[in-house]
């Protein structure tokens, strides 16, 4: 029987926790800002732990979705202090492959399995349980825990060894940078042509240039609204990871670098916590 603990109740984690609860897998939740976990625990009728160490003693599966590499490692170290042997830890944050391997090594000393399982599909995917999940680690462990992950994702693909899930997510983030550039540039151009924005987004969404980002962020961005969504500061963090991996592999990533630099301008203007579609702001300036 699965007893699942969820750590990190941000834009993504809340939807994930709700879907785990719907399937009756969720036992306990933890969030660094404790008020968030306490009110959600009441709503979902599950426990709220006061610490990660407390959560780890109560479950046999731990899912986490926190911000950055250093946050994942901090959480993993806290888990390792009290975790029960044979627990499975699934990290759905977006971090580097190196961090995934470090996390797996820390937990292996405690007889605990680790999967790097970053996701794509946005807050909408997290809410609706329709994320795409790319998994690194032992395939046998993935099959064991698959029923839990299927409450959050409708496409779960085992890529290979530990870290390969995060490397796949880096591919996704490079692509997302290019799509953001293409969509925001095209819509900024559309504005100069005095076109009816909602109509053109509707018709283009149905053709060969249609894509998730245009469909889900097109209208709001052209209204100057960028509610997160996927925080620009988080994609900026991901693109730095991609550039580091690219440099190591000897490949240039010009679109990635351009997008990272554009984000730095927006961060300086106070757009860190806005959705990545705030790139439109730079194009129509
Ligand atoms: P978010 O809304 O900023 O939430 C971040 C969560 O992590 C919060 O619950 C935060 O706690 C917690 N946290 C951060 N540092 C922590 C630490 N040191 N110890 C414990 N908890 C910590 O971010 P998000 O959008 O949910 O994204 C989470 C991860 O998923 C990121 O790696 C992101 O790149 C990835 N991701 C996001 C999207 C998206 O569309 N948003 C899509 C796919 C993947 P507090 O509440 O206390 O701040």
């Amino acid at each position: 029987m699965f007893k699942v603990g969820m750590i990190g109740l941000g834009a993504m984690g809340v939807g994930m926790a709700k879907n785990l609860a719907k399937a009756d897998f969720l036992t306990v939740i933890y969030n660094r800002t404790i008020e968030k976990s306490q009110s959600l625990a009441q709503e979902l009728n599950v426990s709220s732990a006061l610490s990660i160490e407390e959560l780890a003693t109560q479950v046999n599966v731990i899912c986490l979705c926190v911000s950055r590499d250093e946050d994942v490692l901090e959480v993993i170290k806290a888990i390792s202090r009290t975790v029960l042997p044979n627990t499975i830890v699934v990290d759905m944050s977006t971090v580097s492959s190196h961090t995934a391997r470090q996390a797996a090594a820390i937990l292996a000393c405690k007889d605990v399995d680790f999967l790097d399982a970053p996701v794509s599909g946005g807050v909408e995917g997290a809410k609706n349980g329709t994320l795409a999940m790319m998994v690194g680690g032992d395939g046998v462990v993935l099959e064991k825990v698959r029923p839990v992950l299927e409450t959050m994702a409708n496409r779960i693909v085992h890529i290979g060894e530990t870290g390969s899930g995060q490397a796949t997510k880096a591919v996704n983030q490079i692509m997302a940078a290019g799509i953001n550039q293409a969509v925001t540039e095209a819509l900024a151009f559309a504005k100069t042509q005095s076109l009816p924005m909602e109509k053109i987004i509707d018709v283009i969404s149905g053709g060969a240039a249609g894509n998730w980002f245009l469909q889900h962020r097109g209208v709001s961005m052209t209204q100057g609204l960028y509610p997160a969504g996927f925080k620009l500061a988080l994609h900026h963090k991901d693109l730095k990871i991609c550039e580091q991996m690219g440099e190591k592999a000897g490949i240039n990533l010009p679109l990635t670098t351009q997008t990272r630099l554009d984000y730095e301008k927006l961060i300086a203007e106070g757009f860190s916590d806005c959705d990545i579609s705030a790139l439109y702001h730079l194009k129509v300036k």
Side-chain angles (χ1 to χ4, degrees):
M1 192 188 128
F2 295 113
K3 282 200 242 165
V4 181
M6 175 77 206
I7 299 172
L9 303 168
M12 297 297 284
V14 167
M16 291 164 168
K18 287 185 177 174
N19 286 319
L20 286 166
K22 228 183 269 170
D24 245 354
F25 288 139
L26 194 64
T27 301
V28 54
I29 55 179
Y30 169 83
N31 195 66
R32 180 179 57 180
T33 307
I34 218 82
E35 296 76 33
K36 270 196 216 170
S37 38
Q38 285 173 336
S39 66
L40 187 65
Q42 271 194 348
E43 183 189 327
L44 300 180
N45 199 22
V46 298
S47 308
S48 159
L50 292 175
S51 67
I52 293 170
E53 287 85 345
E54 184 192 323
L55 176 144
T57 60
Q58 299 174 33
V59 292
N60 51 25
V61 176
I62 301 176
C63 297
L64 61 136
C65 190
V66 296
S67 309
R68 297 165 187 274
D69 292 70
E70 56 271 28
D71 303 315
V72 167
L73 289 177
E74 199 180 307
V75 169
I76 293 292
K77 282 176 193 158
I79 290 172
S80 74
R81 286 196 271 274
T82 55
V83 68
L84 306 170
N86 303 318
T87 299
I88 298 173
V89 175
V90 183
D91 179 26
M92 298 179 288
S93 324
T94 302
V95 293
S96 68
S97 304
H98 178 64
T99 294
R101 287 190 288 270
Q102 281 181 290
I106 293 168
L107 294 171
C109 301
K110 303 281 174 176
D111 286 330
V112 167
D113 287 305
F114 175 83
L115 299 174
D116 51 302
V119 294
S120 176
V123 288
E124 293 86 347
K127 184 172 175 229
N128 299 327
T130 54
L131 293 165
M133 184 177 275
M134 35 218 103
V135 186
D138 187 337
V140 175
V141 174
L142 170 59
E143 290 319 309
K144 254 196 241 171
V145 81
R146 187 181 277 273
V148 171
L149 305 184
E150 280 176 341
T151 67
M152 298 177 279
N154 61 7
R155 182 175 305 209
I156 302 173
V157 179
H158 182 236
I159 307 294
E161 62 190 18
T162 302
S164 63
Q166 294 296 356
T168 307
K169 181 67 199 251
V171 176
N172 184 83
Q173 296 311 72
I174 292 167
M175 226 177 267
I179 291 166
N180 195 358
Q181 290 288 355
V183 171
T184 54
E185 184 172 307
L187 293 183
F189 168 79
K191 194 170 175 225
T192 67
Q193 306 302 301
S194 307
L195 291 167
M197 297 305 248
E198 290 202 21
K199 280 190 187 170
I200 66 149
I201 290 165
D202 181 38
V203 69
I204 292 173
S205 291
N211 62 77
W212 186 98
F213 189 65
L214 177 66
Q215 257 179 315
H216 288 84
R217 302 287 180 260
V219 172
S220 52
M221 78 169 79
T222 57
Q223 294 170 342
L225 301 172
Y226 319 114
F230 182 33
K231 286 182 192 153
L232 193 141
L234 289 178
H235 198 200
H236 175 260
K237 166 256 313 176
D238 298 344
L239 296 183
K240 279 171 65 181
I241 293 173
C242 297
E243 282 182 293
Q244 279 161 11
M245 290 173 77
E247 200 180 313
K248 223 170 154 191
I251 179 171
N252 270 336
L253 301 170
L255 256 175
T256 303
T257 300
Q258 184 56 51
T259 310
R260 196 245 311 152
L261 293 171
D262 287 347
Y263 286 170
E264 281 168 15
K265 286 186 203 150
L266 287 161
I267 288 168
E269 287 188 44
F271 285 89
S272 301
D273 287 341
C274 293
D275 186 73
I276 60 168
S277 50
L279 186 60
Y280 181 75
H281 172 81
L282 216 58
K283 310 275 181 182
V284 291
K285 242 179 158 185

